[in-house]
Amino acid sequence: MTPLFQPPPEVLAFLFVKKFLYLEILTVLALVRVIVGRGIARWPALVTLLLAGGGVLTIFAPALGLNEGRLYGLAAQYMAGNGGMAALLVPSVVFLICSVTPRARWRILDWLHGAMMLALIGLWWWTS
C-alpha cells in the first residue's frame, strides 16, 4: 500500500532538477564559454554566468549563513517568482544568444544547453 501523500517520481525529479541541477550546470556551461569562447559569444555567456551564479549563491546562501540582508531577500523573492521558472529561463534565454553568434567555439555547449532546456520544459509541462 502506498502512502497517501507520496508525490509521483516525475514531480520529485522536476523539483530536484529545478532546485539543484539546472542553474549549477548552466553556470558551468557559461564559465566554459567565457573561457574558451571567441569574440561576441563571450558577452552573453558572461551575463549568463553572473545571473546563474547569483541564482546558485541565492539557493545555497542559507547553508552558508548568508541569508541576512535586503539583497538576499530580493534575490530569494525573484527566485521564487513564477514558481521559480523565471529565474531558470531568463539566464537560459540569454545563453541561447551564444548559439546564434558567429565564431563561437565548442558548439557542443549549445547542444548540451538545448537538451537541458528541453528536459526542463518537458518536466515542467509533464508536472503542470
Side-chain angles (χ1 to χ4, degrees):
M1 187 165 143
T2 61
L4 185 60
F5 296 112
Q6 182 177 2
E10 304 87 36
V11 173
L12 293 175
F14 174 63
L15 292 175
F16 183 76
V17 165
K18 186 173 86 165
K19 184 78 170 183
F20 295 112
L21 287 180
Y22 194 80
L23 279 180
E24 289 79 357
I25 294 172
L26 186 60
T27 302
V28 170
L29 291 177
L31 179 64
V32 170
R33 176 60 52 94
V34 166
I35 292 171
V36 301
R38 275 194 218 149
I40 198 159
R42 285 182 164 179
W43 292 105
L46 181 62
V47 171
T48 302
L49 179 63
L50 294 174
L51 290 172
V56 171
L57 186 61
T58 302
I59 290 171
F60 292 110
L64 299 172
L66 301 173
N67 56 346
E68 300 293 326
R70 179 132 174 92
L71 183 62
Y72 171 75
L74 291 172
Q77 190 175 21
Y78 173 72
M79 291 289 292
N82 294 325
M85 289 302 290
L88 301 177
L89 292 178
V90 168
S92 196
V93 168
V94 172
F95 195 70
L96 277 177
I97 296 171
C98 294
S99 64
V100 296
T101 57
R103 297 182 348 142
R105 295 171 58 189
W106 292 20
R107 292 291 181 178
I108 188 75
L109 299 175
D110 300 324
W111 286 98
L112 290 173
H113 174 246
M116 259 179 36
M117 196 170 176
L118 284 176
L120 178 75
I121 292 172
L123 280 170
W124 185 27
W125 172 79
W126 187 267
T127 58
S128 297

